[in-house]
Every structure is written in structure tokens, then in C-alpha cells.
Amino acid sequence: MDHHEAVRKFEHLMLQEADHAREVATELEALVPILTTENSRQLAQLQIKASHKQAKEFRELSEKVKEK
């Protein structure tokens, strides 16, 4: 595997992780109205926010590796 191939693989993996984090956030958003306790809803909201942030960071990392 050469450098360019490794960079493409790295970029691909970061985009996969970003997609996964976004999917988690989307699934949790669907669950929030169903959760019965306020504590559970708050924890889900925190994880939703963290997952969206993680997706954004993975996409930014993918862009950075592509630029270099």
C-alpha cells in the first residue's frame, strides 16, 4: 500500500465513522419521545449532541487528510 492509497483509506474510514455517528444520532432522536423518564431523555439528548459533534469532527478530519 502506498501513501496515496493509505490516505484514501484513512479518508474513507473517517467518512464511515461520520456516517455511523450520524446514524446513531438519528436513531436516538427517534427514541427520545418514547423514553419514559426525564433522566433517560436527557442522557439521550446528550448523546445525540455528542454524536453530531463526532460526525462533524470525523468529516473535518477526512477533509484535512485529503488536503495534505
Side-chain angles (χ1 to χ4, degrees):
M1 178 181 297
D2 69 359
H3 171 74
H4 296 292
E5 212 175 343
V7 168
R8 283 191 301 274
K9 179 70 174 178
F10 183 78
E11 178 187 4
H12 175 72
L13 289 171
M14 292 304 97
L15 290 174
Q16 271 185 322
E17 289 299 319
D19 289 344
H20 178 71
R22 188 191 56 205
E23 288 172 19
V24 168
T26 301
E27 287 185 38
L28 283 171
E29 286 167 344
L31 292 177
V32 168
I34 301 168
L35 294 172
T36 58
T37 67
E38 183 61 27
N39 190 37
S40 295
R41 286 190 295 274
Q42 287 176 352
L43 290 173
Q45 290 290 355
L46 286 173
Q47 186 56 51
I48 289 165
K49 186 176 179 180
S51 292
H52 280 301
K53 182 180 179 198
Q54 202 175 33
K56 180 183 174 190
E57 289 171 351
F58 280 128
R59 290 195 190 288
E60 289 171 353
L61 189 55
S62 171
E63 285 298 314
K64 284 181 184 176
V65 77
K66 192 169 35 173
E67 292 170 0
K68 294 188 179 211

